[in-house]
Amino acid sequence: MENTVHSTLDKEWEQLMVEAKEIGMTTEEVRTFFQESLNNLPASDINHEKGNVL
């Protein structure tokens, strides 16, 4: 089952990057967007043990 989750996430990530490229965003801009989004989340929404957002 874990492979299925990773496969789906990989496809979603690939689609996100395609869409970002289509609007002129660079990989670094997407990375910065996600990092800033994570920095603005309340600590209670982040699973620190695994580094996942809940």
Side-chain angles (χ1 to χ4, degrees):
M1 181 168 162
E2 187 172 325
N3 290 337
T4 302
V5 171
H6 287 298
S7 177
T8 301
L9 291 176
D10 289 344
K11 289 177 184 177
E12 290 174 357
W13 179 251
E14 182 179 344
Q15 183 61 35
L16 174 68
M17 293 308 297
V18 167
E19 291 177 18
K21 186 175 182 178
E22 287 174 354
I23 65 169
M25 290 181 74
T26 65
T27 304
E28 187 58 37
E29 288 172 322
V30 173
R31 183 177 292 119
T32 299
F33 170 80
F34 279 115
Q35 187 59 51
E36 289 175 358
S37 296
L38 282 174
N39 289 341
N40 291 326
L41 284 176
S44 60
D45 287 351
I46 301 174
N47 180 343
H48 294 285
E49 186 175 309
K50 293 186 178 182
N52 295 328
V53 177
L54 300 176

